Amino acid sequence: MSTPALAALPIRRLTHRDLLACADLSEDRGWPREEHKWGLLLAAGTGYGIDDPQGGLVAACVVTEYGSRYRPDLCGIGMVLVAERHAGQGVGRRLMRHVVAGAGTSPLTLYATPYGRPLYEELGFKVTGTSEMVSGHFTADGPSSAVNTRPANGEDLATLVRLDEEVFGADRTHLITRLPAFADQLRVAEENGRITGYAAAWPNMDTHVMGPLIARDTETAQALVASLAAHTDRPLRTDVDVRHEHLLTWLKERGLVSVGFNAVMTYGIPDLPGDWTRRFAPLTVAAG
């Protein structure tokens, strides 16, 4: 297909009916299919894609909005993918420009791989942080934590939404209220009846991804991780803000190994809102 014809293909909204095409696109680029994650993102966010006249998708991405639906406080961009056969032809740049223009004055954020970072910098995104992905089988070690953890229940949900908005810096009720159905585990830490943190573990191919991980302090985060690990036989994976050095060291001492780093980037704001000291890991880097 010639470049002019490719440039003329329209960008459209994706729906849940496009889930398999999105998973096929992931697989085409050597990523896991991640149908479970795609399902959440297409339900809670807005997908954009370009159809390939020969079948499937030329490109896709998802934007997850937080805060007011009329003027979001923050938009997370993720799953920016271009089919291998169309790589290097400016398709990703065109799709990203469309998303940035559509966001108007709303600030944007994304997690960039080393491969994608130059494009985002060209579009005006700035690096404001770094996350480290760690993965592996967790091996419990040392004395049990003094922090009390338990499975979350329906009565906790309103509290979790409030705590999450305080720490994340924007309302993401539409994501948090989906966690009980999306995640295999949703657990809380509490002290004297007050919830001091929460974490989820959701299935992704053969692993359990831990996220969100929000906690009052590192000790609470460790207790939540240990409680999630105690209830799964799968390897664990998570993306931790590198400023949480003690948690990363603790995880590596218990069997998780570094897989790679992503740059946290923003557009329109100098830094992410909220309280990073209590924000240990995102629900998924694809949602910001």
Side-chain angles (χ1 to χ4, degrees):
M1 185 181 296
S2 65
T3 300
L6 189 63
L9 294 175
I11 297 172
R12 68 169 177 89
R13 294 283 185 94
L14 300 177
T15 72
H16 205 271
R17 292 190 297 273
D18 297 298
L19 190 153
L20 290 180
C22 290
D24 289 343
L25 183 60
S26 292
E27 194 171 50
D28 174 77
R29 292 314 304 254
W31 290 19
R33 291 183 62 83
E34 300 185 309
E35 292 179 22
H36 187 60
K37 183 171 76 174
W38 272 112
L40 174 71
L41 295 171
L42 291 172
T46 303
Y48 295 92
I50 301 173
D51 289 313
D52 190 332
Q54 299 178 17
L57 291 168
V58 170
C61 73
V62 180
V63 179
T64 309
E65 298 180 346
Y66 303 110
S68 168
R69 60 178 296 187
Y70 301 105
R71 189 187 182 284
D73 298 319
L74 184 68
C75 299
I77 302 172
M79 307 304 283
V80 182
L81 288 166
V82 177
E84 181 68 37
R85 62 192 176 279
H86 299 301
Q89 300 182 55
V91 181
R93 182 177 294 101
R94 178 184 167 215
L95 187 59
M96 281 296 300
R97 283 177 173 162
H98 178 85
V99 167
V100 171
T105 58
S106 296
L108 309 172
T109 185
L110 55 80
Y111 285 72
T113 64
Y115 176 79
R117 178 174 164 177
L119 168 61
Y120 305 133
E121 289 180 326
E122 176 187 323
L123 295 172
F125 284 79
K126 306 294 184 185
V127 175
T128 57
T130 305
S131 72
E132 182 175 4
M133 180 189 295
V134 292
S135 180
H137 283 283
F138 180 91
T139 302
D141 185 26
S144 299
S145 173
V147 177
N148 181 50
T149 64
R150 61 169 174 80
N153 58 50
E155 295 180 354
D156 296 322
L157 205 53
T159 301
L160 296 188
V161 167
R162 289 193 298 270
L163 173 62
D164 187 83
E165 182 175 0
E166 179 184 327
V167 175
F168 185 75
D171 180 12
R172 51 178 182 172
T173 301
H174 60 312
L175 276 181
I176 305 309
T177 53
R178 284 180 163 90
L179 282 178
F182 177 70
D184 284 344
Q185 295 187 63
L186 180 59
R187 301 184 67 86
V188 300
E190 64 180 358
E191 181 179 70
N192 299 323
R194 174 175 168 267
I195 292 178
T196 59
Y198 81 96
W202 50 272
N204 186 265
M205 310 305 288
D206 62 346
T207 68
H208 268 129
V209 176
M210 296 185 293
L213 176 54
I214 284 177
R216 177 178 59 187
D217 49 34
T218 301
E219 183 183 10
T220 304
Q222 291 171 345
L224 285 164
V225 168
S227 66
L228 293 173
H231 294 85
T232 179
D233 294 326
R234 296 189 186 189
L236 297 176
R237 180 163 65 83
T238 191
D239 295 83
V240 178
D241 186 321
V242 296
R243 290 173 290 186
H244 291 296
E245 298 177 18
H246 295 301
L247 179 63
L248 280 167
T249 298
W250 181 84
L251 289 169
K252 292 171 185 177
E253 289 173 347
R254 284 155 182 79
L256 277 67
V257 298
S258 180
V259 177
F261 295 85
N262 287 315
V264 181
M265 307 187 77
T266 59
Y267 180 98
I269 46 173
D271 203 352
L272 289 175
D275 180 3
W276 76 265
T277 66
R278 291 183 287 165
R279 186 177 58 236
F280 288 83
L283 192 163
T284 167
V285 296

